[in-house]
Amino acid sequence: MGAMVRPRNVVDRGAFALRRWRGQRDFAAAFALIEESLAHLRPWEPWVARHDEEHTRALLTRCDTWWASGEVYTYAIAEDGVPVGMCQAVRADEPGGRRIGYWLHPAATGRGLATRAVAALAEEMFTLPDVAHLEIVHDLANTASAAVARRLGFTELRREPAALPLAPAGSGTAVVRRLDRPQYPVALPPVHDDNDPVNDTLAAPPPVVLGIDDLRTLPRATRIARTSREGVQLLEEYRDGFIDELWLDHDLGGDDTIMPVVTLLEEAAFHGRPFRIGAVFVHSANPTGAETVVRSLAHWNYRVRRATAR
């Protein structure tokens, strides 16, 4: 039986990082984080009523045990090395599933960090071979938590009675949302039998799958850029190579759109040196914007179509 595949201890996203809790070494930081967040958490988190030093130490001990068993993967959400929140992925009852939970220090809310942190956690979980889907369960009245799930493509699966004890602000109804492992039409290199005397140096290289998307998880992607500027830089790195798939999101958050990337592709084709791309997939909640991108790239003979990245 092979060794269990676990997520990375640190998932670095530049502006923030997910970092595995390090047992009692992190007690002071974890206790302070919870202590300063009590009023913010109390309406939605029943466990806050049990908060004390002993409870925090027990939590950190369980985090180590759970990580070793694969039952729960718990991370600190850190900015500049300082924890400003927590997130975790718990093994669900249904095979292949994990349930994600998350919260932030009140000073870290209101700037999209929860969404970006959950996106990073989801992306990391989908690197595990046994994870087929992720779920977020939130109270029907918790609109902030619901907004994070919706932004990331988690769709409502069902509603059920909330677990006891109820949170002070809870409605008594829990909403279960699910995100399935994305399936992309990637042509994988051939797999040879262990006894096949094929020279490894002649094996087909893995496909190059690039994504330019501010939020969505693209676990099959070789590289992901989160802004149009990063996207342009990413494509320039592959200027002389072959890109099997390029996934584009029209809306990249705020005033940023995919159009600088589209312009780069158009100008390259105009000058007779189009990027060598097997297929371009455009996904967006903005049908008009996505169709504009499809038409623009098709005009320059790129193989492009609309798609859904879930």
Side-chain angles (χ1 to χ4, degrees):
M1 186 174 180
M4 180 184 297
V5 179
R6 294 185 177 87
R8 291 174 291 175
N9 289 341
V10 177
V11 181
D12 192 349
R13 285 293 183 268
F16 72 95
L18 308 184
R19 179 177 61 75
R20 175 185 171 183
W21 286 108
R22 301 169 299 187
Q24 300 307 315
R25 288 179 294 169
D26 278 330
F27 168 74
F31 184 80
L33 173 62
I34 298 171
E35 186 82 5
E36 294 172 7
S37 305
L38 288 177
H40 176 64
L41 295 174
R42 188 170 286 112
W44 304 112
E45 300 291 352
W47 58 263
V48 166
R50 306 190 301 276
H51 170 68
D52 58 20
E53 291 191 12
E54 182 179 355
H55 185 265
T56 302
R57 290 192 183 279
L59 169 65
L60 293 173
T61 298
R62 289 196 300 271
C63 284
D64 280 345
T65 303
W66 286 335
W67 190 285
S69 68
E71 189 67 22
V72 185
Y73 297 118
T74 304
Y75 288 96
I77 303 169
E79 291 184 314
D80 297 323
V82 179
V84 296
M86 295 190 189
C87 62
Q88 64 179 13
V90 182
R91 182 179 288 140
D93 293 336
E94 186 176 340
R98 289 206 171 252
R99 286 196 167 181
I100 286 179
Y102 46 92
W103 60 267
L104 292 175
H105 186 288
T109 62
R111 44 194 173 87
L113 179 58
T115 303
R116 289 180 286 135
V118 174
L121 179 60
E123 191 171 311
E124 187 69 14
M125 288 302 104
F126 279 135
T127 67
L128 306 182
D130 63 335
V131 177
H133 65 268
L134 301 172
E135 291 181 349
I136 289 176
V137 181
H138 63 84
D139 191 277
L140 180 62
N142 192 340
T143 56
S145 189
V148 170
R150 284 196 302 268
R151 288 190 199 106
L152 295 175
F154 284 77
T155 57
E156 185 172 329
L157 186 64
R158 64 181 180 273
R159 298 186 180 189
E160 59 190 24
L164 298 176
L166 291 179
S171 68
T173 299
V175 180
V176 181
R177 298 179 183 272
R178 177 172 290 190
L179 179 69
D180 291 322
R181 177 188 286 275
Q183 299 295 324
Y184 303 112
V186 178
L188 296 177
V191 177
H192 300 295
D193 184 84
D194 289 340
N195 297 319
D196 188 351
V198 175
N199 188 330
D200 288 340
T201 61
L202 299 179
V208 174
V209 181
L210 305 183
I212 304 175
D213 192 305
D214 65 323
L215 290 175
R216 291 176 179 85
T217 57
L218 302 171
R220 295 291 297 276
T222 309
R223 299 271 300 278
I224 298 178
R226 296 303 187 186
T227 66
S228 61
R229 181 178 179 180
E230 291 177 2
V232 168
Q233 293 172 343
L234 180 60
L235 283 179
E236 291 289 7
E237 290 183 35
Y238 288 85
R239 186 65 184 89
D240 298 320
F242 182 79
I243 302 169
D244 292 87
E245 296 181 16
L246 176 62
W247 287 77
L248 304 178
D249 180 22
H250 177 269
D251 302 305
L252 293 174
D255 295 329
D256 194 14
T257 75
I258 202 66
M259 295 315 293
V261 174
V262 174
T263 299
L264 174 67
L265 295 171
E266 290 177 320
E267 290 180 350
F270 175 79
H271 291 290
R273 293 188 64 234
F275 282 79
R276 298 167 57 222
I277 303 173
V280 181
F281 299 93
V282 181
H283 50 96
S284 174
N286 180 344
T288 302
E291 190 58 35
T292 298
V293 173
V294 170
R295 287 198 306 267
S296 298
L297 295 181
H299 173 76
W300 295 103
N301 296 319
Y302 288 103
R303 296 176 58 190
V304 56
R305 66 180 178 86
R306 289 282 305 278
T308 301
R310 297 179 297 170

